[in-house]
């Protein structure tokens, strides 16, 4: 029940395309869903996050779509650029907790020029 | 403002040796974490701390120990290193965000190889 399942494991997209990364969770107590971006040799960094009271959140070219009934959420990257090539992690947590996050396994994204 | 600083960046240990991975944050965050990252396996929580003097086990604590004597420092101790502990180790601290959620600030990691 504590798992967050992320897919695909890797993804190659042409520049300008819209990569989509999906995550699914089981624990309905989760109420906070962030996405992190990790470049090689660096630690992950918070990219965008959503709470279940909204179905979509946009920040620049990054959009989270959230489907509460299906217990799924996804990251879309509009007009993708080679600089977006990184590993992306979804996570889930509970706001009234000790700030712990349950992490997906990660998606290695490559944007081809 | 340095954020979260980890040392060393790389280390090779022989089986049975011990070492301490250092982690320091200058953001006055109460919550700190140690994760290990293995290829294709995401981040696994080793230990966490909710404040000075308070620590607790995460998902994969065996073979590790931590202490938290100050808000700033959260070292991770490996005793009797084993090849299974070859990994990249990340320290993080957490903060609340304006949107009402919370984020993690990660260090740049320590790549450990046990041979």
């Amino acid at each position: 029940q504590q798992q967050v399942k992320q897919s695909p494991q890797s993804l190659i997209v042409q520049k300008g395309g819209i990569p989509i990364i999906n995550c699914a969770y089981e624990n309905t107590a989760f109420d906070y869903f962030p996405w992190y971006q990790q470049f090689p040799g660096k630690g992950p960094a918070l990219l965008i996050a959503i709470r279940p009271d909204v179905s979509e959140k946009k920040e620049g070219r990054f959009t989270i779509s959230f489907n509460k009934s299906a217990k799924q959420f996804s990251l879309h990257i509009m007009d993708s650029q080679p600089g977006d090539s990184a590993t992306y992690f979804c996570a889930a947590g509970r706001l009234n907790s000790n700030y712990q996050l349950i992490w997906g396994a990660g998606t290695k994204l490559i944007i081809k020029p | 403002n340095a954020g979260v600083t980890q040392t060393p960046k790389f280390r090779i240990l022989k089986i049975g040796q011990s070492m301490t991975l250092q982690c320091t944050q200058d953001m006055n965050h109460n919550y700190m974490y140690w994760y290990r990252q293995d290829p294709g396996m995401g981040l696994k929580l080793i230990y966490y701390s909710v404040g000075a003097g308070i620590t607790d086990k995460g998902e994969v604590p065996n073979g590790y120990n931590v202490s938290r004597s100050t808000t700033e420092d959260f070292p991770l101790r490996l005793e009797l290193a084993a090849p299974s502990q070859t990994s990249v180790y990340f320290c993080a601290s957490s903060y609340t965000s304006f949107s009402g959620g919370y984020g993690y600030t990660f260090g740049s990691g320590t790549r450990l190889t046990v041979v």
Side-chain angles (χ1 to χ4, degrees):
Chain A
Q1 260 216 334
Q2 284 290 84
Q3 279 190 324
V4 175
K5 295 183 180 178
Q6 183 173 346
S7 63
Q9 191 172 13
S10 62
L11 185 58
I12 301 174
V13 173
Q14 287 294 130
K15 176 184 173 182
I18 305 176
I20 300 173
I21 304 170
N22 301 298
C23 285
Y25 63 98
E26 297 175 357
N27 189 346
T28 55
F30 289 143
D31 56 5
Y32 181 65
F33 303 91
W35 284 89
Y36 280 73
Q37 180 188 55
Q38 183 182 30
F39 293 108
K42 302 291 185 183
L46 179 63
L47 184 63
I48 186 173
I50 197 168
R51 295 169 64 172
D53 51 346
V54 296
S55 61
E56 185 176 277
K57 183 174 182 180
K58 290 183 182 180
E59 285 187 8
R61 295 183 293 106
F62 299 91
T63 299
I64 300 179
S65 297
F66 186 81
N67 186 329
K68 188 174 181 178
S69 60
K71 291 185 285 185
Q72 294 175 350
F73 58 109
S74 59
L75 177 71
H76 303 232
I77 306 175
M78 305 302 174
D79 187 28
S80 58
Q81 302 296 314
D84 296 329
S85 298
T87 298
Y88 292 82
F89 292 95
C90 64
R94 297 172 61 183
L95 290 171
N96 294 324
S97 74
N98 52 11
Y99 299 136
Q100 283 197 43
L101 290 171
I102 306 301
W103 297 83
T107 296
K108 185 173 183 178
L109 173 65
I110 297 173
I111 306 298
K112 287 194 164 182
Chain B
N1 191 337
V4 177
T5 302
Q6 287 184 241
T7 57
K9 292 191 182 301
F10 304 94
R11 183 72 185 268
I12 298 175
L13 276 184
K14 293 185 177 179
I15 294 172
Q17 286 186 321
S18 300
M19 76 165 293
T20 299
L21 282 66
Q22 301 292 343
C23 176
T24 299
Q25 54 99 0
D26 61 357
M27 298 170 286
N28 202 35
H29 292 164
N30 284 323
Y31 289 80
M32 296 187 73
Y33 313 84
W34 273 106
Y35 285 92
R36 58 177 289 171
Q37 183 178 29
D38 301 309
M41 299 296 289
L43 294 161
K44 301 292 184 184
L45 182 64
I46 305 171
Y47 270 94
Y48 68 97
S49 169
V50 301
I54 307 171
T55 63
D56 206 350
K57 296 178 181 179
E59 188 180 356
V60 290
N62 292 343
Y64 307 94
N65 273 302
V66 293
S67 59
R68 185 96 182 269
S69 58
T70 67
T71 299
E72 294 78 21
D73 299 309
F74 190 39
L76 177 72
R77 178 81 177 163
L78 277 73
E79 305 281 1
L80 299 175
S84 61
Q85 293 178 305
T86 294
S87 188
V88 180
Y89 292 84
F90 287 100
C91 179
S93 66
S94 62
Y95 60 91
T96 54
S97 66
F98 292 116
S99 62
Y102 53 96
Y104 283 21
T105 300
F106 282 85
S108 57
T110 295
R111 184 175 293 275
L112 175 67
T113 303
V114 181
V115 296

